[in-house]
Short mmCIF file of all heavy atoms in Angstrom, two decimals:
data_model
loop_
_atom_site.label_atom_id
_atom_site.label_comp_id
_atom_site.label_asym_id
_atom_site.label_seq_id
_atom_site.Cartn_x
_atom_site.Cartn_y
_atom_site.Cartn_z
N MET A 1 0.80 -1.21 0.00
CA MET A 1 0.00 0.00 0.00
C MET A 1 0.85 1.27 0.00
O MET A 1 0.38 2.31 -0.44
CB MET A 1 -0.93 0.04 1.22
CG MET A 1 -2.08 -0.89 1.14
SD MET A 1 -3.17 -0.42 -0.18
CE MET A 1 -4.34 -1.69 -0.06
N ASP A 2 2.07 1.18 0.50
CA ASP A 2 2.89 2.39 0.53
C ASP A 2 3.21 2.88 -0.87
O ASP A 2 3.46 4.06 -1.08
CB ASP A 2 4.15 2.20 1.36
CG ASP A 2 5.04 1.09 0.87
OD1 ASP A 2 4.56 0.20 0.15
OD2 ASP A 2 6.24 1.12 1.21
N HIS A 3 3.18 1.99 -1.87
CA HIS A 3 3.41 2.42 -3.25
C HIS A 3 2.29 3.34 -3.73
O HIS A 3 2.52 4.23 -4.54
CB HIS A 3 3.58 1.22 -4.19
CG HIS A 3 2.38 0.33 -4.28
ND1 HIS A 3 2.06 -0.59 -3.32
CD2 HIS A 3 1.43 0.25 -5.23
CE1 HIS A 3 0.95 -1.21 -3.68
NE2 HIS A 3 0.55 -0.72 -4.82
N VAL A 4 1.08 3.16 -3.22
CA VAL A 4 -0.03 4.04 -3.56
C VAL A 4 0.22 5.43 -2.97
O VAL A 4 0.04 6.45 -3.65
CB VAL A 4 -1.38 3.47 -3.08
CG1 VAL A 4 -2.52 4.44 -3.36
CG2 VAL A 4 -1.65 2.12 -3.70
N LEU A 5 0.65 5.47 -1.72
CA LEU A 5 0.97 6.76 -1.10
C LEU A 5 2.12 7.45 -1.84
O LEU A 5 2.09 8.68 -2.03
CB LEU A 5 1.33 6.57 0.38
CG LEU A 5 0.16 6.33 1.31
CD1 LEU A 5 0.65 5.95 2.69
CD2 LEU A 5 -0.73 7.55 1.38
N ASN A 6 3.11 6.69 -2.23
CA ASN A 6 4.24 7.26 -2.97
C ASN A 6 3.77 7.87 -4.30
O ASN A 6 4.29 8.90 -4.72
CB ASN A 6 5.31 6.21 -3.23
CG ASN A 6 6.04 5.81 -1.97
OD1 ASN A 6 6.06 6.54 -0.99
ND2 ASN A 6 6.63 4.63 -1.99
N ALA A 7 2.81 7.24 -4.94
CA ALA A 7 2.28 7.76 -6.20
C ALA A 7 1.45 9.02 -5.98
O ALA A 7 1.43 9.91 -6.83
CB ALA A 7 1.45 6.69 -6.89
N MET A 8 0.78 9.12 -4.85
CA MET A 8 -0.05 10.28 -4.54
C MET A 8 0.79 11.49 -4.09
O MET A 8 0.35 12.63 -4.22
CB MET A 8 -1.06 9.94 -3.44
CG MET A 8 -2.09 8.93 -3.83
SD MET A 8 -3.16 8.47 -2.44
CE MET A 8 -4.19 9.92 -2.31
N GLN A 9 1.94 11.24 -3.53
CA GLN A 9 2.75 12.28 -2.90
C GLN A 9 3.06 13.48 -3.80
O GLN A 9 2.90 14.62 -3.36
CB GLN A 9 4.04 11.66 -2.35
CG GLN A 9 4.81 12.57 -1.42
CD GLN A 9 4.07 12.86 -0.12
OE1 GLN A 9 3.29 12.05 0.37
NE2 GLN A 9 4.32 14.02 0.43
N PRO A 10 3.50 13.29 -5.06
CA PRO A 10 3.80 14.47 -5.88
C PRO A 10 2.58 15.36 -6.12
O PRO A 10 2.69 16.60 -6.06
CB PRO A 10 4.30 13.87 -7.20
CG PRO A 10 4.76 12.50 -6.85
CD PRO A 10 3.88 12.05 -5.73
N HIS A 11 1.43 14.76 -6.34
CA HIS A 11 0.21 15.55 -6.54
C HIS A 11 -0.16 16.27 -5.24
O HIS A 11 -0.52 17.45 -5.25
CB HIS A 11 -0.94 14.66 -7.01
CG HIS A 11 -2.19 15.40 -7.29
ND1 HIS A 11 -2.31 16.29 -8.33
CD2 HIS A 11 -3.38 15.41 -6.66
CE1 HIS A 11 -3.52 16.81 -8.32
NE2 HIS A 11 -4.19 16.29 -7.32
N TYR A 12 -0.07 15.56 -4.13
CA TYR A 12 -0.36 16.17 -2.83
C TYR A 12 0.54 17.37 -2.57
O TYR A 12 0.06 18.43 -2.17
CB TYR A 12 -0.19 15.12 -1.72
CG TYR A 12 -0.20 15.70 -0.35
CD1 TYR A 12 -1.37 16.18 0.22
CD2 TYR A 12 0.98 15.81 0.40
CE1 TYR A 12 -1.39 16.73 1.48
CE2 TYR A 12 0.97 16.36 1.66
CZ TYR A 12 -0.20 16.82 2.20
OH TYR A 12 -0.22 17.39 3.45
N GLU A 13 1.83 17.23 -2.82
CA GLU A 13 2.77 18.33 -2.58
C GLU A 13 2.47 19.52 -3.48
O GLU A 13 2.56 20.67 -3.03
CB GLU A 13 4.20 17.84 -2.77
CG GLU A 13 4.66 16.90 -1.67
CD GLU A 13 6.02 16.28 -1.93
OE1 GLU A 13 6.67 16.63 -2.95
OE2 GLU A 13 6.43 15.44 -1.12
N ALA A 14 2.10 19.26 -4.72
CA ALA A 14 1.78 20.35 -5.65
C ALA A 14 0.54 21.11 -5.18
O ALA A 14 0.53 22.35 -5.16
CB ALA A 14 1.56 19.81 -7.06
N VAL A 15 -0.49 20.39 -4.79
CA VAL A 15 -1.73 21.04 -4.32
C VAL A 15 -1.47 21.75 -2.99
O VAL A 15 -1.97 22.87 -2.77
CB VAL A 15 -2.88 20.02 -4.20
CG1 VAL A 15 -4.12 20.67 -3.61
CG2 VAL A 15 -3.20 19.43 -5.56
N LEU A 16 -0.69 21.15 -2.12
CA LEU A 16 -0.36 21.78 -0.85
C LEU A 16 0.38 23.10 -1.08
O LEU A 16 0.09 24.11 -0.43
CB LEU A 16 0.47 20.85 0.03
CG LEU A 16 0.86 21.38 1.41
CD1 LEU A 16 -0.37 21.69 2.26
CD2 LEU A 16 1.75 20.38 2.13
N ASN A 17 1.31 23.10 -2.02
CA ASN A 17 2.03 24.34 -2.34
C ASN A 17 1.09 25.42 -2.86
O ASN A 17 1.20 26.59 -2.48
CB ASN A 17 3.15 24.07 -3.34
CG ASN A 17 4.32 23.36 -2.71
OD1 ASN A 17 4.57 23.48 -1.52
ND2 ASN A 17 5.05 22.61 -3.51
N CYS A 18 0.15 25.04 -3.71
CA CYS A 18 -0.85 26.00 -4.21
C CYS A 18 -1.70 26.53 -3.06
O CYS A 18 -1.97 27.73 -2.98
CB CYS A 18 -1.73 25.35 -5.27
SG CYS A 18 -0.89 24.97 -6.81
N PHE A 19 -2.12 25.63 -2.18
CA PHE A 19 -2.92 26.02 -1.02
C PHE A 19 -2.15 27.02 -0.15
O PHE A 19 -2.68 28.06 0.25
CB PHE A 19 -3.29 24.79 -0.20
CG PHE A 19 -4.16 25.09 0.99
CD1 PHE A 19 -5.54 25.05 0.87
CD2 PHE A 19 -3.61 25.41 2.22
CE1 PHE A 19 -6.35 25.35 1.96
CE2 PHE A 19 -4.41 25.70 3.31
CZ PHE A 19 -5.79 25.67 3.18
N ILE A 20 -0.90 26.73 0.11
CA ILE A 20 -0.08 27.59 0.96
C ILE A 20 0.13 28.95 0.32
O ILE A 20 0.05 29.99 1.00
CB ILE A 20 1.26 26.90 1.29
CG1 ILE A 20 1.01 25.74 2.23
CG2 ILE A 20 2.25 27.89 1.90
CD1 ILE A 20 2.18 24.81 2.41
N GLU A 21 0.39 28.99 -0.97
CA GLU A 21 0.55 30.27 -1.67
C GLU A 21 -0.71 31.12 -1.56
O GLU A 21 -0.64 32.32 -1.33
CB GLU A 21 0.93 30.05 -3.14
CG GLU A 21 2.35 29.58 -3.32
CD GLU A 21 3.38 30.51 -2.71
OE1 GLU A 21 3.30 31.74 -2.92
OE2 GLU A 21 4.27 30.02 -2.00
N GLU A 22 -1.86 30.50 -1.70
CA GLU A 22 -3.12 31.23 -1.55
C GLU A 22 -3.28 31.75 -0.12
O GLU A 22 -3.74 32.86 0.10
CB GLU A 22 -4.31 30.34 -1.92
CG GLU A 22 -4.50 30.13 -3.39
CD GLU A 22 -4.96 31.39 -4.11
OE1 GLU A 22 -5.72 32.19 -3.55
OE2 GLU A 22 -4.55 31.56 -5.28
N GLN A 23 -2.89 30.94 0.86
CA GLN A 23 -3.00 31.37 2.26
C GLN A 23 -2.08 32.55 2.53
O GLN A 23 -2.43 33.43 3.31
CB GLN A 23 -2.67 30.22 3.20
CG GLN A 23 -3.76 29.19 3.35
CD GLN A 23 -5.06 29.76 3.85
OE1 GLN A 23 -6.06 29.70 3.15
NE2 GLN A 23 -5.08 30.29 5.03
N ARG A 24 -0.93 32.58 1.91
CA ARG A 24 0.02 33.67 2.13
C ARG A 24 -0.53 35.00 1.63
O ARG A 24 -0.12 36.05 2.12
CB ARG A 24 1.35 33.36 1.46
CG ARG A 24 2.14 32.34 2.22
CD ARG A 24 3.53 32.18 1.67
NE ARG A 24 4.27 31.25 2.50
CZ ARG A 24 5.07 30.33 2.05
NH1 ARG A 24 5.30 30.20 0.75
NH2 ARG A 24 5.70 29.52 2.87
N ILE A 25 -1.40 34.94 0.64
CA ILE A 25 -2.04 36.17 0.16
C ILE A 25 -2.78 36.84 1.32
O ILE A 25 -2.80 38.06 1.41
CB ILE A 25 -3.00 35.87 -1.01
CG1 ILE A 25 -2.19 35.41 -2.23
CG2 ILE A 25 -3.86 37.08 -1.35
CD1 ILE A 25 -3.05 34.88 -3.37
N GLY A 26 -3.35 36.03 2.19
CA GLY A 26 -3.94 36.54 3.41
C GLY A 26 -5.37 37.00 3.32
O GLY A 26 -5.86 37.64 4.23
N LYS A 27 -6.06 36.69 2.24
CA LYS A 27 -7.44 37.16 2.14
C LYS A 27 -8.46 36.15 2.63
O LYS A 27 -9.64 36.39 2.54
CB LYS A 27 -7.76 37.59 0.71
CG LYS A 27 -7.75 36.49 -0.31
CD LYS A 27 -8.11 37.04 -1.69
CE LYS A 27 -8.15 35.92 -2.71
NZ LYS A 27 -8.51 36.41 -4.03
N TYR A 28 -8.00 35.03 3.17
CA TYR A 28 -8.90 33.98 3.64
C TYR A 28 -8.83 33.89 5.16
O TYR A 28 -7.77 33.71 5.73
CB TYR A 28 -8.54 32.63 3.03
CG TYR A 28 -8.43 32.66 1.53
CD1 TYR A 28 -7.20 32.53 0.90
CD2 TYR A 28 -9.55 32.86 0.74
CE1 TYR A 28 -7.10 32.58 -0.48
CE2 TYR A 28 -9.46 32.92 -0.64
CZ TYR A 28 -8.23 32.78 -1.24
OH TYR A 28 -8.12 32.83 -2.61
N LYS A 29 -9.98 34.02 5.80
CA LYS A 29 -10.02 33.92 7.25
C LYS A 29 -10.05 32.47 7.70
O LYS A 29 -9.55 32.13 8.76
CB LYS A 29 -11.22 34.66 7.81
CG LYS A 29 -11.12 36.16 7.61
CD LYS A 29 -12.28 36.88 8.24
CE LYS A 29 -12.10 38.37 7.97
NZ LYS A 29 -13.04 39.17 8.69
N LYS A 30 -10.65 31.60 6.87
CA LYS A 30 -10.73 30.18 7.20
C LYS A 30 -10.10 29.38 6.06
O LYS A 30 -10.14 29.79 4.90
CB LYS A 30 -12.19 29.75 7.36
CG LYS A 30 -12.91 30.44 8.50
CD LYS A 30 -14.29 29.86 8.72
CE LYS A 30 -15.22 30.29 7.61
NZ LYS A 30 -16.61 29.85 7.83
N PHE A 31 -9.53 28.23 6.42
CA PHE A 31 -8.96 27.36 5.40
C PHE A 31 -10.00 27.01 4.33
O PHE A 31 -9.69 26.91 3.15
CB PHE A 31 -8.43 26.06 6.01
CG PHE A 31 -7.15 26.20 6.77
CD1 PHE A 31 -6.76 25.21 7.65
CD2 PHE A 31 -6.32 27.30 6.62
CE1 PHE A 31 -5.57 25.30 8.36
CE2 PHE A 31 -5.12 27.40 7.32
CZ PHE A 31 -4.75 26.40 8.18
N SER A 32 -11.24 26.83 4.75
CA SER A 32 -12.29 26.39 3.82
C SER A 32 -12.61 27.43 2.76
O SER A 32 -13.27 27.12 1.77
CB SER A 32 -13.56 26.01 4.59
OG SER A 32 -14.04 27.11 5.32
N GLU A 33 -12.16 28.66 2.93
CA GLU A 33 -12.38 29.70 1.93
C GLU A 33 -11.33 29.64 0.81
O GLU A 33 -11.50 30.25 -0.24
CB GLU A 33 -12.35 31.08 2.59
CG GLU A 33 -13.49 31.29 3.56
CD GLU A 33 -13.37 32.59 4.34
OE1 GLU A 33 -12.31 33.25 4.28
OE2 GLU A 33 -14.34 32.94 5.02
N ASN A 34 -10.25 28.93 1.03
CA ASN A 34 -9.18 28.80 0.05
C ASN A 34 -9.70 27.94 -1.11
O ASN A 34 -10.31 26.90 -0.89
CB ASN A 34 -7.98 28.12 0.72
CG ASN A 34 -6.75 28.06 -0.13
OD1 ASN A 34 -6.78 27.61 -1.27
ND2 ASN A 34 -5.64 28.49 0.42
N PRO A 35 -9.46 28.37 -2.37
CA PRO A 35 -9.98 27.60 -3.50
C PRO A 35 -9.40 26.20 -3.64
O PRO A 35 -9.98 25.35 -4.32
CB PRO A 35 -9.62 28.46 -4.72
CG PRO A 35 -8.62 29.44 -4.26
CD PRO A 35 -8.77 29.58 -2.79
N TYR A 36 -8.31 25.90 -2.98
CA TYR A 36 -7.69 24.57 -3.04
C TYR A 36 -8.10 23.68 -1.87
O TYR A 36 -7.65 22.54 -1.76
CB TYR A 36 -6.16 24.69 -3.08
CG TYR A 36 -5.66 25.29 -4.36
CD1 TYR A 36 -5.40 26.65 -4.45
CD2 TYR A 36 -5.49 24.52 -5.50
CE1 TYR A 36 -4.96 27.23 -5.63
CE2 TYR A 36 -5.05 25.08 -6.69
CZ TYR A 36 -4.80 26.44 -6.74
OH TYR A 36 -4.37 26.99 -7.92
N TYR A 37 -8.93 24.20 -0.99
CA TYR A 37 -9.28 23.47 0.23
C TYR A 37 -9.92 22.11 -0.05
O TYR A 37 -9.50 21.10 0.53
CB TYR A 37 -10.21 24.30 1.12
CG TYR A 37 -10.66 23.55 2.34
CD1 TYR A 37 -9.80 23.40 3.42
CD2 TYR A 37 -11.93 22.98 2.42
CE1 TYR A 37 -10.19 22.69 4.54
CE2 TYR A 37 -12.32 22.27 3.53
CZ TYR A 37 -11.45 22.13 4.60
OH TYR A 37 -11.84 21.42 5.70
N GLU A 38 -10.92 22.07 -0.89
CA GLU A 38 -11.63 20.81 -1.15
C GLU A 38 -10.69 19.75 -1.69
O GLU A 38 -10.75 18.58 -1.28
CB GLU A 38 -12.80 21.04 -2.11
CG GLU A 38 -13.93 21.86 -1.54
CD GLU A 38 -14.61 21.21 -0.35
OE1 GLU A 38 -14.74 19.97 -0.33
OE2 GLU A 38 -15.01 21.94 0.57
N GLU A 39 -9.81 20.15 -2.60
CA GLU A 39 -8.89 19.18 -3.20
C GLU A 39 -7.86 18.68 -2.19
O GLU A 39 -7.61 17.47 -2.09
CB GLU A 39 -8.18 19.81 -4.40
CG GLU A 39 -7.32 18.84 -5.17
CD GLU A 39 -6.76 19.44 -6.44
OE1 GLU A 39 -6.95 20.63 -6.72
OE2 GLU A 39 -6.09 18.68 -7.17
N ILE A 40 -7.28 19.58 -1.40
CA ILE A 40 -6.27 19.16 -0.43
C ILE A 40 -6.91 18.32 0.67
O ILE A 40 -6.33 17.34 1.14
CB ILE A 40 -5.47 20.37 0.14
CG1 ILE A 40 -4.18 19.89 0.82
CG2 ILE A 40 -6.29 21.20 1.10
CD1 ILE A 40 -3.15 19.37 -0.11
N LYS A 41 -8.12 18.67 1.06
CA LYS A 41 -8.84 17.91 2.09
C LYS A 41 -9.13 16.50 1.60
O LYS A 41 -8.95 15.53 2.34
CB LYS A 41 -10.15 18.63 2.44
CG LYS A 41 -11.02 17.93 3.45
CD LYS A 41 -10.60 18.24 4.84
CE LYS A 41 -11.63 17.80 5.85
NZ LYS A 41 -11.46 16.44 6.32
N ALA A 42 -9.57 16.37 0.34
CA ALA A 42 -9.85 15.04 -0.21
C ALA A 42 -8.57 14.20 -0.28
O ALA A 42 -8.60 13.00 0.02
CB ALA A 42 -10.47 15.19 -1.60
N LEU A 43 -7.47 14.81 -0.67
CA LEU A 43 -6.20 14.08 -0.73
C LEU A 43 -5.76 13.62 0.66
O LEU A 43 -5.35 12.47 0.85
CB LEU A 43 -5.12 14.95 -1.36
CG LEU A 43 -5.18 15.08 -2.87
CD1 LEU A 43 -4.29 16.22 -3.35
CD2 LEU A 43 -4.77 13.78 -3.52
N ILE A 44 -5.84 14.52 1.63
CA ILE A 44 -5.45 14.16 3.00
C ILE A 44 -6.34 13.04 3.54
O ILE A 44 -5.84 12.08 4.14
CB ILE A 44 -5.47 15.40 3.93
CG1 ILE A 44 -4.32 16.32 3.57
CG2 ILE A 44 -5.42 14.99 5.40
CD1 ILE A 44 -4.34 17.66 4.29
N ASP A 45 -7.64 13.15 3.33
CA ASP A 45 -8.55 12.10 3.80
C ASP A 45 -8.22 10.75 3.16
O ASP A 45 -8.20 9.72 3.85
CB ASP A 45 -10.01 12.47 3.50
CG ASP A 45 -10.50 13.63 4.35
OD1 ASP A 45 -9.83 13.99 5.35
OD2 ASP A 45 -11.57 14.18 4.01
N SER A 46 -7.95 10.76 1.86
CA SER A 46 -7.61 9.52 1.15
C SER A 46 -6.30 8.94 1.65
O SER A 46 -6.18 7.73 1.87
CB SER A 46 -7.50 9.79 -0.34
OG SER A 46 -8.71 10.26 -0.85
N MET A 47 -5.32 9.80 1.81
CA MET A 47 -4.01 9.34 2.27
C MET A 47 -4.08 8.81 3.70
O MET A 47 -3.42 7.83 4.03
CB MET A 47 -2.99 10.47 2.16
CG MET A 47 -2.68 10.84 0.72
SD MET A 47 -1.70 12.34 0.56
CE MET A 47 -0.14 11.79 1.23
N ASN A 48 -4.90 9.45 4.53
CA ASN A 48 -4.99 9.02 5.93
C ASN A 48 -5.62 7.64 6.08
O ASN A 48 -5.27 6.90 6.99
CB ASN A 48 -5.73 10.06 6.76
CG ASN A 48 -4.82 11.19 7.17
OD1 ASN A 48 -3.60 11.05 7.16
ND2 ASN A 48 -5.40 12.32 7.51
N ILE A 49 -6.52 7.29 5.18
CA ILE A 49 -7.09 5.94 5.22
C ILE A 49 -5.97 4.92 5.04
O ILE A 49 -5.86 3.94 5.78
CB ILE A 49 -8.17 5.77 4.14
CG1 ILE A 49 -9.41 6.60 4.51
CG2 ILE A 49 -8.54 4.30 3.96
CD1 ILE A 49 -10.42 6.72 3.39
N LEU A 50 -5.11 5.16 4.06
CA LEU A 50 -3.99 4.26 3.81
C LEU A 50 -2.96 4.31 4.93
O LEU A 50 -2.40 3.28 5.32
CB LEU A 50 -3.33 4.60 2.47
CG LEU A 50 -4.22 4.42 1.25
CD1 LEU A 50 -3.54 4.99 0.01
CD2 LEU A 50 -4.55 2.95 1.05
N ARG A 51 -2.70 5.51 5.45
CA ARG A 51 -1.72 5.66 6.53
C ARG A 51 -2.18 4.90 7.78
O ARG A 51 -1.37 4.25 8.44
CB ARG A 51 -1.49 7.14 6.83
CG ARG A 51 -0.79 7.88 5.69
CD ARG A 51 -0.66 9.36 5.97
NE ARG A 51 0.36 9.61 6.97
CZ ARG A 51 1.66 9.71 6.70
NH1 ARG A 51 2.10 9.61 5.47
NH2 ARG A 51 2.52 9.94 7.67
N LYS A 52 -3.47 4.97 8.09
CA LYS A 52 -3.99 4.22 9.23
C LYS A 52 -3.84 2.72 9.01
O LYS A 52 -3.46 1.98 9.92
CB LYS A 52 -5.47 4.56 9.47
CG LYS A 52 -5.69 5.91 10.09
CD LYS A 52 -7.18 6.18 10.27
CE LYS A 52 -7.42 7.59 10.74
NZ LYS A 52 -8.86 7.88 10.85
N TYR A 53 -4.15 2.27 7.81
CA TYR A 53 -4.03 0.86 7.47
C TYR A 53 -2.59 0.37 7.66
O TYR A 53 -2.36 -0.74 8.14
CB TYR A 53 -4.49 0.63 6.04
CG TYR A 53 -4.32 -0.79 5.56
CD1 TYR A 53 -5.24 -1.78 5.93
CD2 TYR A 53 -3.24 -1.15 4.77
CE1 TYR A 53 -5.07 -3.09 5.51
CE2 TYR A 53 -3.07 -2.46 4.34
CZ TYR A 53 -3.99 -3.43 4.72
OH TYR A 53 -3.81 -4.72 4.31
N LEU A 54 -1.63 1.21 7.30
CA LEU A 54 -0.22 0.86 7.42
C LEU A 54 0.33 1.06 8.83
O LEU A 54 1.47 0.72 9.12
CB LEU A 54 0.61 1.68 6.42
CG LEU A 54 0.38 1.36 4.95
CD1 LEU A 54 1.02 2.43 4.07
CD2 LEU A 54 0.92 -0.02 4.61
N GLY A 55 -0.48 1.66 9.71
CA GLY A 55 -0.04 1.91 11.07
C GLY A 55 0.81 3.17 11.20
O GLY A 55 1.54 3.33 12.17
N TRP A 56 0.73 4.03 10.21
CA TRP A 56 1.49 5.27 10.22
C TRP A 56 0.67 6.39 10.85
O TRP A 56 -0.56 6.32 10.92
CB TRP A 56 1.85 5.70 8.80
CG TRP A 56 2.74 4.76 8.05
CD1 TRP A 56 3.28 3.59 8.51
CD2 TRP A 56 3.17 4.88 6.70
NE1 TRP A 56 4.03 2.99 7.53
CE2 TRP A 56 3.98 3.76 6.41
CE3 TRP A 56 2.95 5.83 5.71
CZ2 TRP A 56 4.57 3.58 5.16
CZ3 TRP A 56 3.54 5.64 4.47
CH2 TRP A 56 4.34 4.54 4.21
N GLU A 57 1.35 7.44 11.27
CA GLU A 57 0.69 8.61 11.83
C GLU A 57 -0.10 9.31 10.73
O GLU A 57 0.36 9.45 9.60
CB GLU A 57 1.74 9.56 12.41
CG GLU A 57 1.16 10.79 13.06
CD GLU A 57 2.25 11.69 13.63
OE1 GLU A 57 3.43 11.33 13.58
OE2 GLU A 57 1.88 12.77 14.11
N VAL A 58 -1.30 9.77 11.08
CA VAL A 58 -2.11 10.51 10.12
C VAL A 58 -1.60 11.94 10.00
O VAL A 58 -0.90 12.44 10.89
CB VAL A 58 -3.61 10.50 10.48
CG1 VAL A 58 -4.16 9.10 10.45
CG2 VAL A 58 -3.86 11.16 11.81
N ILE A 59 -1.93 12.59 8.89
CA ILE A 59 -1.53 13.98 8.70
C ILE A 59 -2.77 14.86 8.79
O ILE A 59 -3.89 14.42 8.53
CB ILE A 59 -0.82 14.18 7.34
CG1 ILE A 59 -1.67 13.70 6.18
CG2 ILE A 59 0.52 13.48 7.33
CD1 ILE A 59 -1.07 13.95 4.82
N THR A 60 -2.56 16.10 9.22
CA THR A 60 -3.64 17.07 9.28
C THR A 60 -3.22 18.31 8.50
O THR A 60 -2.02 18.63 8.43
CB THR A 60 -3.99 17.48 10.72
OG1 THR A 60 -2.87 18.15 11.30
CG2 THR A 60 -4.36 16.27 11.57
N LEU A 61 -4.18 18.98 7.94
CA LEU A 61 -3.89 20.19 7.18
C LEU A 61 -3.26 21.25 8.08
O LEU A 61 -2.28 21.89 7.71
CB LEU A 61 -5.15 20.73 6.51
CG LEU A 61 -4.98 21.96 5.63
CD1 LEU A 61 -3.94 21.73 4.53
CD2 LEU A 61 -6.31 22.37 5.04
N LYS A 62 -3.78 21.41 9.26
CA LYS A 62 -3.25 22.41 10.18
C LYS A 62 -1.77 22.18 10.48
O LYS A 62 -0.96 23.09 10.43
CB LYS A 62 -4.05 22.41 11.49
CG LYS A 62 -3.60 23.47 12.45
CD LYS A 62 -4.44 23.48 13.70
CE LYS A 62 -3.91 24.54 14.65
NZ LYS A 62 -4.65 24.57 15.89
N ARG A 63 -1.44 20.94 10.75
CA ARG A 63 -0.03 20.61 11.06
C ARG A 63 0.87 20.81 9.83
O ARG A 63 1.98 21.29 9.93
CB ARG A 63 0.07 19.18 11.57
CG ARG A 63 1.34 18.88 12.27
CD ARG A 63 1.32 17.55 12.96
NE ARG A 63 0.27 16.69 12.41
CZ ARG A 63 -0.04 15.50 12.86
NH1 ARG A 63 0.61 14.99 13.85
NH2 ARG A 63 -0.99 14.78 12.32
N GLU A 64 0.37 20.44 8.67
CA GLU A 64 1.14 20.62 7.43
C GLU A 64 1.37 22.11 7.15
O GLU A 64 2.46 22.50 6.75
CB GLU A 64 0.40 19.98 6.24
CG GLU A 64 0.31 18.48 6.32
CD GLU A 64 1.65 17.80 6.09
OE1 GLU A 64 2.19 17.90 4.98
OE2 GLU A 64 2.14 17.18 7.04
N ILE A 65 0.36 22.92 7.39
CA ILE A 65 0.47 24.37 7.16
C ILE A 65 1.47 24.99 8.13
O ILE A 65 2.25 25.86 7.77
CB ILE A 65 -0.90 25.06 7.27
CG1 ILE A 65 -1.86 24.54 6.21
CG2 ILE A 65 -0.78 26.56 7.21
CD1 ILE A 65 -1.42 24.76 4.80
N GLU A 66 1.43 24.57 9.39
CA GLU A 66 2.34 25.12 10.40
C GLU A 66 3.80 24.90 10.02
O GLU A 66 4.65 25.72 10.36
CB GLU A 66 2.04 24.51 11.77
CG GLU A 66 0.74 25.00 12.36
CD GLU A 66 0.35 24.28 13.63
OE1 GLU A 66 1.02 23.28 14.01
OE2 GLU A 66 -0.63 24.71 14.26
N ILE A 67 4.09 23.83 9.33
CA ILE A 67 5.45 23.54 8.90
C ILE A 67 5.94 24.61 7.91
O ILE A 67 7.08 25.04 7.95
CB ILE A 67 5.55 22.14 8.27
CG1 ILE A 67 5.30 21.07 9.33
CG2 ILE A 67 6.88 21.92 7.58
CD1 ILE A 67 5.12 19.67 8.77
N TYR A 68 5.04 25.03 7.02
CA TYR A 68 5.41 25.93 5.94
C TYR A 68 5.19 27.41 6.23
O TYR A 68 5.81 28.26 5.61
CB TYR A 68 4.67 25.57 4.65
CG TYR A 68 5.09 24.24 4.10
CD1 TYR A 68 4.34 23.09 4.34
CD2 TYR A 68 6.24 24.13 3.35
CE1 TYR A 68 4.74 21.87 3.82
CE2 TYR A 68 6.65 22.90 2.84
CZ TYR A 68 5.89 21.78 3.08
OH TYR A 68 6.28 20.58 2.59
N LEU A 69 4.26 27.74 7.11
CA LEU A 69 3.97 29.15 7.38
C LEU A 69 4.60 29.62 8.64
O LEU A 69 5.34 29.60 9.27
CB LEU A 69 2.46 29.39 7.50
CG LEU A 69 1.65 29.19 6.24
CD1 LEU A 69 0.18 29.45 6.52
CD2 LEU A 69 2.10 30.12 5.14
#
């Protein structure tokens, strides 16, 4: 299953970067107002199902954002 996560990773990182760039603009009070929110949320939810199955720590958008901002 980790090969599935590895295949998803480049797309996830690209969308996360777009999400972060939009957040840096600063016009969004909530993450859900960001135009990339739905896509990044769906990716995180999908990845977390696999991460739980593998016994890995789940990721959260808030924690991912804190790393970059």
Side-chain angles (χ1 to χ4, degrees):
M1 286 295 177
D2 59 339
H3 62 281
V4 176
L5 284 171
N6 290 338
M8 294 175 74
Q9 193 66 30
H11 183 68
Y12 169 72
E13 289 173 4
V15 175
L16 181 60
N17 286 333
C18 291
F19 182 91
I20 290 168
E21 287 304 313
E22 284 290 325
Q23 284 302 117
R24 285 188 176 139
I25 292 171
K27 66 179 182 179
Y28 308 110
K29 293 183 181 189
K30 297 187 287 185
F31 286 163
S32 60
E33 295 173 350
N34 187 308
Y36 292 95
Y37 177 77
E38 292 297 324
E39 186 173 4
I40 197 70
K41 178 84 167 89
L43 283 166
I44 289 172
D45 290 347
S46 300
M47 292 171 69
N48 279 340
I49 290 169
L50 296 171
R51 293 176 73 84
K52 286 179 186 177
Y53 176 79
L54 292 168
W56 297 358
E57 182 179 357
V58 297
I59 56 177
T60 64
L61 182 56
K62 183 178 178 182
R63 197 170 19 184
E64 293 289 295
I65 297 300
E66 288 173 352
I67 293 169
Y68 293 98
L69 293 180

